[in-house]
Amino acid sequence: MVFSSPIFLFVFLPVTYLGYRILPGLPLRNAWLTLASLVFFSFGQLPYLVLLLISVLINYLFGLWLQSGERHRRLAAGLAAAANLSLLGVFKYVDFIISTINSLSGAELALTGIVLPIGISFYTFQGMSYVIDVYRHPEWGTRNPGKLLLYISFFPQLIAGPIVIYHDVADQIDRRELTPELTLSGLRRFILGFGKKILLANSTGEIADAVFAMTADQLDFRLAWLGAVCYTLQIYFDFSGYSDMAIGLGRMFGFRFLENFNLPYASKSIKEFWRRWHISLSSWFRDYLYIPLGGNRKGAARTNLNKFIVFFATGLWHGANWTFVLWGLWHGLFSTLEGVGAIPKRLRESRLGHVYTMLVVILGFTLFRADTLADAGVMFTAMFTGFSIDPANTLALIALLDAKAVFLLVTALLFAFGVPQWVWRQLQQRGLPQRAGAAAAAVGYSALFGVSVLTLAGATFNPFIYFQF
């Protein structure tokens, strides 16, 4: 079950919300949210519910150890990190390691066939951040297992983020108010994310999937670039859409989560891109890997090495495939080039900075989307050498770009670069009457939700591309 499924929208969410509003007092409401979160997770992967609970228990026990005194605290933190990474390694990376050994050595070791647990990277990182924070600040820990279970399992951010830090929400678990303004704000944010996912991510994703499924002889530069751009839009609207829905759902239950995306495609540099893209993950790696490695405090060479380690880990976190690892290193390369001045600052401060950044991002996501390095090579070859025009390729292009697809593609491009948001701000600054603005917003959000639901009802394509993370 995911946020964009009918059973979530019309059964799970109404029941959960009504039950939350009926129950008196935060202890009962928190227990209700915890139960709903475990049901939500079980709906998709009931056998792995035990794994989620084991993860919570491990981090709770290590948290108690770290709060108990000064003795062996470093050992406790190290064992906690090792336990979390071991769970992640076994269930996400064992087959990747075996496949790599087979490829390099010619061996024929059998794969385990372990099914990837939904959301394991997200809840593992949340658990790790908790024990690391308690190691640094014992007073940030909790002796209440229910609070930690709610924090890690809370369904809005369980399977697709954003990665929430316990210290940021601990007070909200104990004390929060659900005001009409916050509820309305949350509902609007949820609808916005739902529309992003159903209308923009899915429409661009269909085109991207069709192009990436083509063979080398079916591709030319037009189709290859179309597929690459569409996937770049799909992954943004899919993931930022889910983040919007999670933030909105959190508000509907009184929680305020931090932002996770801030128009990343408006960036003029890769450094800026990572301040705007998947902000919670970037912050996590900064606080729990880059800074502990020494950050930028140990000279230029060590700073650059630390960057590559972080981007290697970022790529590997996204998936057990060398395409993800090389995607991370690709971004690490340009982040380092910018840091040493090889990419001129005047370029990054000009309009050409947008072009440079988007070129790097699109090429990176082409690698990210490809199933294998060979598939990525086919796409790159077509993008930069496929200039011969074949009538069959032209017909394929026309078939992909019907009137509806063109409209949604243009809409996606406008929203990705923040044009509608900019227009709305301009109208407000120029004295748009508050009542008229509220009425327009109400009509707009109602229409967006209605169109999205109707589209979902008739859709056969509704992937959850962040399942693998």
Side-chain angles (χ1 to χ4, degrees), residues 15 49 67 83 87 181 186 188 214 218 308 339 344 369 385 452:
V15 170
L49 177 61
Q67 295 173 71
L87 281 178
E181 293 77 16
R188 287 179 173 179
M214 292 178 178
Q218 294 174 313
F308 272 101
R369 170 59 179 79
T385 65
S452 299

Side-chain angles (χ1 to χ4, degrees), residues 14-94:
V15 170
T16 301
Y17 185 75
L18 288 174
Y20 180 85
R21 294 306 299 262
I22 292 171
L23 289 171
L26 272 183
L28 284 177
R29 288 182 169 185
N30 286 344
W32 175 253
L33 288 180
T34 302
L35 176 62
S37 298
L38 297 180
V39 170
F40 175 83
F41 185 86
S42 301
F43 196 91
Q45 286 187 330
L46 179 59
Y48 279 138
L49 177 61
V50 174
L51 181 64
L52 172 64
L53 296 176
I54 289 173
S55 177
V56 174
L57 179 61
I58 287 172
N59 290 297
Y60 173 70
L61 294 176
F62 277 112
L64 289 181
W65 183 355
L66 290 164
Q67 295 173 71
S68 64
E70 294 295 326
R71 192 174 183 183
H72 304 310
R73 295 183 67 254
R74 185 182 294 272
L75 173 62
L79 290 174
N84 280 287
L85 292 175
S86 295
L87 281 178
L88 192 60
V90 168
F91 287 92
K92 188 169 182 176
Y93 298 109
V94 165

Side-chain angles (χ1 to χ4, degrees), residues 267-340:
S267 303
K268 292 184 179 181
S269 67
I270 295 303
K271 182 179 180 180
E272 182 184 359
F273 173 81
W274 280 100
R275 288 200 301 263
R276 294 169 172 264
W277 174 273
H278 202 342
I279 299 168
S280 63
L281 181 66
S282 302
S283 300
W284 197 99
F285 275 116
R286 180 198 64 208
D287 294 340
Y288 300 107
L289 184 58
Y290 180 69
I291 292 176
L293 286 172
N296 59 1
R297 305 187 305 274
K298 297 186 178 182
R302 181 62 180 271
T303 297
N304 292 331
L305 175 61
N306 291 342
K307 285 183 180 180
F308 272 101
I309 293 173
V310 167
F311 277 105
F312 173 86
T314 301
L316 193 61
W317 178 89
H318 278 84
N321 194 319
W322 283 108
T323 56
F324 296 117
V325 173
L326 291 179
W327 169 79
L329 294 177
W330 171 259
H331 278 267
L333 171 64
F334 284 93
S335 178
T336 300
L337 291 175
E338 290 176 5
V340 301

Side-chain angles (χ1 to χ4, degrees), residues 2 23 27 29 47 51 60 103-104 106 116 120 128 148 150 154 167 204 218 227 230 261 293 319 368 376 403 441:
V2 292
L23 289 171
R29 288 182 169 185
L51 181 64
Y60 173 70
S103 298
L104 294 176
L116 179 66
I120 188 171
M128 285 182 64
L148 193 66
L150 175 59
F154 191 32
H167 183 63
T204 53
Q218 294 174 313
C230 282
F261 287 86
L293 286 172
F368 188 98

Side-chain angles (χ1 to χ4, degrees), residues 119-407:
I120 188 171
S121 294
F122 289 97
Y123 66 72
T124 299
F125 269 33
Q126 291 198 175
M128 285 182 64
S129 70
Y130 170 74
V131 292
I132 293 171
D133 281 346
V134 176
Y135 168 70
R136 295 171 176 172
H137 308 278
E139 69 277 9
W140 288 6
T142 179
R143 295 186 178 276
N144 184 337
K147 289 177 63 175
L148 193 66
L149 178 58
L150 175 59
Y151 156 66
I152 291 179
S153 69
F154 191 32
F155 73 88
Q157 44 78 44
L158 174 61
I159 62 172
I163 300 172
V164 178
I165 304 303
Y166 179 76
H167 183 63
D168 291 338
V169 297
D171 289 341
Q172 298 179 53
I173 293 175
D174 291 331
R175 293 177 297 276
R176 62 184 185 274
E177 293 183 5
L178 189 58
T179 65
E181 293 77 16
L182 189 61
T183 301
L184 179 60
S185 170
L187 182 60
R188 287 179 173 179
R189 189 66 177 268
F190 178 85
I191 291 173
L192 178 63
F194 181 60
K196 281 183 177 181
K197 163 61 182 169
I198 299 301
L199 300 178
L200 300 182
N202 285 0
S203 61
T204 53
E206 282 194 276
I207 298 174
D209 279 8
V211 172
F212 276 87
M214 292 178 178
T215 58
D217 61 309
Q218 294 174 313
L219 286 170
D220 61 19
F221 78 98
R222 300 169 302 171
L223 286 163
W225 277 101
L226 175 64
V229 169
C230 282
Y231 182 71
T232 300
L233 293 169
Q234 179 195 11
I235 194 169
Y236 169 63
F237 285 113
D238 193 286
F239 195 24
S240 71
Y242 269 103
S243 291
D244 286 339
M245 285 188 273
I247 291 170
L249 288 169
R251 291 178 186 174
M252 291 170 65
F253 295 104
F255 289 90
R256 301 174 186 268
F257 297 148
L258 298 178
E259 294 296 332
N260 207 27
F261 287 86
N262 180 23
L263 294 177
Y265 294 164
S267 303
K268 292 184 179 181
S269 67
I270 295 303
K271 182 179 180 180
E272 182 184 359
F273 173 81
W274 280 100
R275 288 200 301 263
R276 294 169 172 264
W277 174 273
H278 202 342
I279 299 168
S280 63
L281 181 66
S282 302
S283 300
W284 197 99
F285 275 116
R286 180 198 64 208
D287 294 340
Y288 300 107
L289 184 58
Y290 180 69
I291 292 176
L293 286 172
N296 59 1
R297 305 187 305 274
K298 297 186 178 182
R302 181 62 180 271
T303 297
N304 292 331
L305 175 61
N306 291 342
K307 285 183 180 180
F308 272 101
I309 293 173
V310 167
F311 277 105
F312 173 86
T314 301
L316 193 61
W317 178 89
H318 278 84
N321 194 319
W322 283 108
T323 56
F324 296 117
V325 173
L326 291 179
W327 169 79
L329 294 177
W330 171 259
H331 278 267
L333 171 64
F334 284 93
S335 178
T336 300
L337 291 175
E338 290 176 5
V340 301
I343 307 295
K345 187 177 180 179
R346 62 179 180 275
L347 168 66
R348 291 181 275 128
E349 293 178 347
S350 69
R351 293 185 182 276
L352 287 177
H354 292 300
V355 178
Y356 145 73
T357 302
M358 284 311 303
L359 181 61
V360 172
V361 168
I362 290 171
L363 294 177
F365 277 136
T366 302
L367 179 61
F368 188 98
R369 170 59 179 79
D371 293 329
T372 65
L373 295 178
D375 291 337
V378 169
M379 283 292 292
F380 289 137
T381 300
M383 291 168 78
F384 293 102
T385 65
F387 300 121
S388 59
I389 304 300
D390 186 280
N393 295 345
T394 300
L395 290 175
L397 185 67
I398 293 172
L400 290 173
L401 292 177
D402 58 22
K404 178 183 175 183
V406 170
F407 172 77

